[in-house]
Amino acid sequence: MFIGIDVHKRYSQIAVLDQNGEIVEEVRVENANLDDFAQQYAGSKAALEATSNYYHIHDTLSEYLDVTVANPGELKLISDSDKKTDRVDAKQLARMVRLGSIPESYVPTDEVRQARALVRGRQKLVENRTEYANKIHGLLSDHGITREVKPLSVKGREFLAELSLPAPWDALLESYLELIQVLTEQIESLEAEIEERAGSLKETQLLMTIPGVSYFTALTIYAELGEINRFDRAKEVVSYVGLNPIIRESGDSRFEGSISKRGSGRVRWLLVQASYSAVHTCKDEYLSRFYNRLARKKNSKTAIVATARKLLVSMYHMLDREEVYDPPGVSA
């Protein structure tokens, strides 16, 4: 049998096809009861789309079914369908399973999932804290206070704690400051766990031998890339992260444009920051030489993005070969 599963928060719409492509069953199943359904069709091939909650469902179904997780960005038959319903999506998935045309998505290991949860959780807390800091800037601006204040710094919070605003803005300011304090404590707690996790993994230990790469950057790179052996070459990693240039060819002309920006913007940002640190702070000879040569020909922005790409290629080879950072001109 061939099974397509359209996953939602509490339930899944399922279509089952036989060898001839005929519908055997269409059913909506509560996600809590998916194991019973999977046992009924044990040994069949199934596919579900990668969604925010697919990990648990994938693991449950995989006990009984041969499950493929489909890449949502490449599911053209579903996304381009004129009639898009749960039943249509499930049937399209089932048909694609039968034809062997599912664009497969990577399913991370438990170790990678845990790393992702940590770094993404920290990032969300940082974003929430920044949101409240911006709200404080808005309060100050509304009351004509032009002094530059940093609500995330100790001095900034001390100044704000002594500030007198009329009601109800005084209560709002106090609430925002309390929330920033709570979020800061939670971020610090997660950072301690991230540092411990990064120190325990061989992959992140290797990455941290690169000048300018912190434990947080190392664990984020590991978490977002996953197992390095799923990539056959460095170009695949560069494309996965979105640091590959967009190339357009027409006749005898070839134009290389800006980067594709596919994949994780978080990883690209961290790679650029690590490159800045390696070039301008750590004075890494290998990356600095490359950056300075390119900056003279083009500009600093183009040069630092290219340096980030070169850094990512080095990371790929380090992880693939299980070697510390030791490029030409740099001693490990």
Side-chain angles (χ1 to χ4, degrees):
M1 298 295 179
F2 305 96
I3 304 171
I5 306 168
D6 186 43
V7 178
H8 294 268
K9 186 174 182 179
R10 294 187 174 85
Y11 71 88
S12 293
Q13 180 68 36
I14 301 174
V16 182
L17 304 183
D18 62 17
Q19 294 287 344
N20 298 319
E22 299 296 325
I23 296 176
V24 174
E25 182 178 9
E26 289 184 277
V27 62
R28 176 176 290 191
V29 178
E30 295 291 326
N31 290 338
N33 301 324
L34 280 173
D35 52 345
D36 294 332
F37 169 85
Q39 289 183 57
Q40 181 183 348
Y41 290 98
S44 298
K45 292 186 176 181
L48 63 144
E49 189 174 345
T51 59
S52 59
N53 63 330
Y54 84 89
Y55 287 164
H56 174 70
I57 292 174
H58 168 272
D59 295 347
T60 298
L61 295 174
S62 293
E63 292 289 329
Y64 309 98
L65 306 173
D66 179 6
V67 182
T68 299
V69 175
N71 186 326
E74 298 179 26
L75 285 176
K76 298 294 185 182
L77 289 177
I78 292 180
S79 59
D80 292 344
S81 175
D82 292 332
K83 184 179 180 182
K84 184 170 173 61
T85 66
D86 296 349
R87 291 181 64 189
V88 169
D89 288 354
K91 283 187 286 188
Q92 289 283 29
L93 277 171
R95 292 186 182 115
M96 293 174 77
V97 174
R98 178 173 171 269
L99 295 172
S101 59
I102 290 288
E104 190 169 351
S105 182
Y106 168 64
V107 180
T109 63
D110 286 343
E111 190 175 77
V112 173
R113 294 181 198 181
Q114 292 166 11
R116 283 187 180 182
L118 282 173
V119 296
R120 291 180 181 182
R122 176 197 176 275
Q123 181 63 30
K124 190 62 180 178
L125 291 178
V126 169
E127 291 171 358
N128 290 342
R129 185 176 63 175
T130 300
E131 180 183 349
Y132 287 111
N134 290 337
K135 288 181 183 293
I136 289 176
H137 286 304
L139 280 182
L140 298 182
S141 177
D142 289 344
H143 288 82
I145 300 173
T146 58
R147 172 173 171 172
E148 184 176 343
V149 180
K150 297 180 179 179
L152 302 185
S153 70
V154 174
K155 287 185 177 180
R157 291 200 294 273
E158 288 176 351
F159 168 79
L160 292 167
E162 298 297 324
L163 189 64
S164 178
L165 292 179
W169 295 279
D170 58 342
L172 284 173
L173 177 60
E174 183 179 352
S175 295
Y176 295 158
L177 287 173
E178 288 178 359
L179 286 168
I180 285 175
Q181 181 60 36
V182 170
L183 288 168
T184 297
E185 292 171 359
Q186 292 175 340
I187 290 167
E188 290 173 351
S189 177
L190 271 186
E191 285 176 344
E193 191 167 347
I194 288 170
E195 184 173 8
E196 182 179 351
R197 182 64 60 96
S200 68
L201 299 172
K202 64 179 182 180
E203 292 89 351
T204 45
Q205 289 173 12
L206 291 173
L207 293 177
M208 286 188 290
T209 63
I210 303 173
V213 173
S214 67
Y215 60 86
F216 176 73
T217 297
L219 192 65
T220 301
I221 297 296
Y222 165 73
E224 299 299 337
L225 293 185
E227 298 148 297
I228 204 65
N229 59 10
R230 70 191 185 96
F231 301 102
D232 292 328
R233 51 182 181 164
K235 283 186 177 180
E236 292 182 6
V237 179
V238 171
S239 178
Y240 180 78
V241 172
L243 283 172
N244 57 308
I246 298 174
I247 298 175
R248 296 184 177 89
E249 294 182 332
S250 177
D252 296 329
S253 62
R254 184 177 188 274
F255 172 74
E256 187 173 299
S258 58
I259 59 174
S260 69
K261 294 186 179 180
R262 289 193 297 266
S264 172
R266 182 187 303 107
V267 171
R268 287 194 301 276
W269 184 84
L270 284 173
L271 287 168
V272 168
Q273 296 307 306
S275 298
Y276 267 119
S277 179
V279 170
H280 298 296
T281 304
C282 303
K283 308 297 182 183
D284 177 272
E285 184 178 345
Y286 176 66
L287 294 175
S288 294
R289 188 167 60 238
F290 175 82
Y291 169 82
N292 290 326
R293 183 173 66 248
L294 197 58
R296 285 193 295 268
K297 294 180 180 178
K298 298 189 176 182
N299 57 66
S300 59
K301 183 178 179 180
T302 299
I304 202 65
V305 171
T307 304
R309 181 163 58 242
K310 196 170 191 67
L311 175 59
L312 178 59
V313 170
S314 294
M315 289 177 167
Y316 167 76
H317 290 302
M318 289 168 60
L319 294 173
D320 184 53
R321 301 166 185 169
E322 298 186 1
E323 295 176 350
V324 298
Y325 184 65
D326 190 19
V330 179
S331 173

